[in-house]
Amino acid sequence: MSEKQVFKPNKEFAKNALIKNMCEYQDLQDWATEDYEGFWGSYGKEKLDWMEPFTKVMDDSNFPFVNWFEGGKLNVSSQCIDRHLDTKKNKAAIIFEGDRGDKQIVTYLELYYNVNKFANLLKNKFDVKKGDRVIIYMPMIPEAAYAMLACARLGAIHSVIFGGFSAEAIKDRVKDADAKIIITADGAFRKDKPYMLKPVVDKALEGATPVKKVLVVQRNFEDVEWVAGRDYSYNELIDLESSHCDPEPMDSEDPLFLLYTSGSTGKPKGVQHNSAGYILWAQMTMEWVFDVKENDTYWCTADVGWITGHTYIVYGPLAMGATTVMFEGVPTYPDAGRPWKMVEEYRINQFYTAPTAIRVLHKMGEDEPGKYDLSSLKVLGTVGEPIDPPAWKWYYEAVGNNNCAIVDTYWQTETGGHVISPLPGATPIKPGCATFPLPGIMAEILDDEGNKAPVGEKGLMCITRPWPAMIRGVWGDKERFIKAYFGDVKKDGKPVYFTGDGAVYDDDGYITITGRTDDVINVSGHRMGTAEVEAAIKKHDNVAEVAVVGKPHPLKGEGIFAYILLKEDDGVADELEEMKAINAIIKIEIGNIALCDDMVFVPGLPKTRSGKIMRRILRSIAKGEEITQDISTLEDPGVVDTINKMVNS
Ligand code: PRX
């Protein structure tokens, strides 16, 4: 398979697809270019059910603070549930499969009852109101979705924290969001064994905290500590609540959720998404990119703790009235055939996962897909990191039987939904390539001067006009919002949104994402700030200085490589023990997802005379590349050679 090979959409599929060919795609993109507000206003009216109609499509007079659908009122939980009740009340909204194979089908009517009861519980027992922040720290069980939708129903702002984050990470987020309640579970099951979440929450709440209440869903029924007056059992309380709760009428720009993500400083930022624009784009991209039909069953393997879980497990599928699968377990347990067994069993039509998962499933179960009937599959999706040719090929051939479109969806926590992606019935696909901006998204690769990057030359992936699902702010930090996203690139003298990614056009105008240009690394499709990991490592008593970089990793995409200067090197009898101690601190400060794959204790770090660490050199050394940078201006050029020998010989 050469990079140049093009895979045309399946003709039969294209006939019934929502966007059937590139002419239709181009028509939509032309419409948006010529009449931006007309385009979005029309979709805003058609796709959403308004309690009060909007009066202005977009106001960007205070850019980068932009308002969409001004004057409109709606409720996101009603968009996802209530409006489907007339036509789909007995349709499966959520199909849940537990780690141990336990199954649950939740219809739209049941979802309505469960979410309404949940909202009433939050409102009546815990006084959760519009604008309150609610932390959700949950396993992949339907109650996680109910919790999100219950917050949306009340107008409370949820902030879901991925279950792999540590107590310290929760503490930071709770404090930043000033949250009054945490919804969690005792734990869940992984590889047929219980694992625990509630003890992590208990630890996070030690000392001063704004959190006054903890609501615990009992999932694995293991014993947990119980703080009287603070902790409450969901299972005991939920059925005492009525199954009707009026949805709060929300302004289009009222916040829906915060989701903390890594940036180039040590502190994760609370990315804020608001109501109308977000839910509109979640629904539209679901429809366009996955082309889900009324009887289809769609499965996204992400975790609700990440943006993919928000937009493409919960909000997007439910807003369009689709059936979404939630899976608690691990894709390789009990063997690497588990996802394919589930595809066969539930007749999954669209399957969406990360390249890391594809690489692991390929490595651990190359022949597993062949053992199952995967003929229901129509669209395969990838997200989170570039997909390499061997993984793409296996996905296309072994899983998709050379018959499915692979949609390589490029987007970010900040974009709310897909921004660059193939359309399965229209776009001729080139492996490893996110292809073209979706209609309505003015994405362009620019050079440093803000001109369109020439073909073949790496530039900066930008979005030059505000779009409905774009990040509305960094919680509590306007300056950081402006500086992080709108400070670097200008087009025609005006700041534009810069994604932080590099990208390149090919001769046909296809966009390939080349990876981050900042100090963010992408571990198994999860974003990790090097500064965050460095801050954790510095908490070790014997660490004087540290620099963290990404290093290509065969399964994870990128692994974490730390160069550490110890205060007392001689005192370290056993380097391995010291490494273990440092990783133990990372586990406490951030969680297992940030553990270092490589650590090297160095005698010094390559720094400029002004003291800036030259991470580019360290990246090259980690990759085993030749050092081509000029090192003569460094404070101590000799250290480069020393480190290089330590790492690469
Ligand atoms: O570097 C890009 C990479 O993931 C980053 C966004 O990470 P996060 O906000 O955690 O969201 C992940 C899920 C949307 C981007 O800045 N990325 C995402 N999708 C792709 C990608 N890199 C290459 N190809 C993709 N399809």
Side-chain angles (χ1 to χ4, degrees), residues 206-421:
E206 283 171 7
T209 177
V211 170
K212 299 289 170 269
K213 304 285 176 193
V214 178
L215 180 61
V216 185
V217 177
Q218 286 162 290
R219 161 70 183 149
N220 64 16
F221 292 91
E222 292 290 308
D223 282 341
V224 287
E225 303 262 321
W226 215 255
V227 177
R230 188 197 72 182
D231 300 348
Y232 294 84
S233 161
Y234 165 90
N235 306 48
E236 283 172 16
L237 295 173
I238 194 67
D239 285 325
L240 305 176
E241 296 296 335
S242 119
S243 48
H244 180 79
C245 172
D246 281 334
E248 182 75 24
M250 301 292 285
D251 284 341
S252 294
E253 287 295 346
D254 277 332
L256 177 65
F257 65 82
L258 306 179
L259 187 54
Y260 283 83
T261 190
S262 299
S264 44
T265 72
K267 193 170 167 274
K269 46 195 170 187
V271 170
Q272 181 186 329
H273 281 290
N274 290 358
S275 302
Y278 170 80
I279 197 67
L280 173 66
W281 192 230
Q283 180 180 337
M284 286 173 68
T285 48
M286 238 350 263
E287 292 174 357
W288 281 346
V289 174
F290 296 115
D291 214 274
V292 179
K293 303 291 187 220
E294 183 55 30
N295 285 324
D296 284 354
T297 305
Y298 156 91
W299 181 19
C300 165
T301 69
D303 189 285
V304 285
W306 308 108
I307 190 68
T308 309
H310 282 59
T311 310
Y312 297 110
I313 294 178
V314 179
Y315 288 115
L318 298 177
M320 75 166 291
T323 299
T324 180
V325 173
M326 269 184 103
F327 174 50
E328 176 188 38
V330 174
T332 49
Y333 187 84
D335 57 49
R338 179 79 181 262
W340 320 129
K341 184 167 177 277
M342 285 177 62
V343 167
E344 176 179 285
E345 196 161 336
Y346 299 111
R347 309 277 195 274
I348 305 281
N349 305 101
Q350 296 84 12
F351 179 74
Y352 190 31
T353 196
T356 295
I358 299 167
R359 285 191 290 268
V360 171
L361 290 166
H362 181 194
K363 183 161 182 256
M364 293 180 64
E366 183 160 12
D367 301 326
E368 288 294 331
K371 298 180 186 164
Y372 299 93
D373 176 2
L374 306 184
S375 58
S376 57
L377 287 171
K378 296 186 283 190
V379 179
L380 301 173
T382 76
V383 58
E385 48 178 321
I387 179 161
D388 46 293
W392 196 96
K393 188 171 184 288
W394 182 74
Y395 202 30
Y396 187 75
E397 291 173 355
V399 179
N401 194 24
N402 300 296
N403 208 21
C404 296
I406 294 191
V407 287
D408 181 347
T409 62
Y410 167 78
W411 60 297
Q412 313 175 290
T413 305
E414 293 85 345
T415 66
H418 305 145
V419 284
I420 302 174
S421 172

Side-chain angles (χ1 to χ4, degrees), residues 405-477:
I406 294 191
V407 287
D408 181 347
T409 62
Y410 167 78
W411 60 297
Q412 313 175 290
T413 305
E414 293 85 345
T415 66
H418 305 145
V419 284
I420 302 174
S421 172
L423 295 163
T427 316
I429 287 164
K430 298 187 186 183
C433 184
T435 72
F436 302 108
L438 289 172
I441 301 293
M442 302 300 153
E444 261 187 275
I445 309 173
L446 300 176
D447 64 17
D448 290 337
E449 267 71 58
N451 301 313
K452 191 166 174 164
V455 171
E457 280 181 32
K458 211 157 125 178
L460 309 167
M461 192 68 249
C462 296
I463 306 180
T464 60
R465 295 200 71 170
W467 65 105
M470 100 183 203
I471 175 176
R472 291 303 196 276
V474 171
W475 186 250
D477 199 339

Side-chain angles (χ1 to χ4, degrees), residues 354-360 383-388 391 514-515 520-526 528 549-561 597-598 622-623:
T356 295
I358 299 167
R359 285 191 290 268
V360 171
V383 58
E385 48 178 321
I387 179 161
D388 46 293
T514 54
V520 168
I521 45 187
N522 199 324
V523 185
S524 303
H526 302 146
M528 198 49 62
V549 298
K551 175 189 172 179
H553 186 283
L555 291 179
K556 296 178 178 182
E558 273 188 299
I560 301 179
F561 195 119
D597 298 277
D598 295 278
K623 283 185 194 162

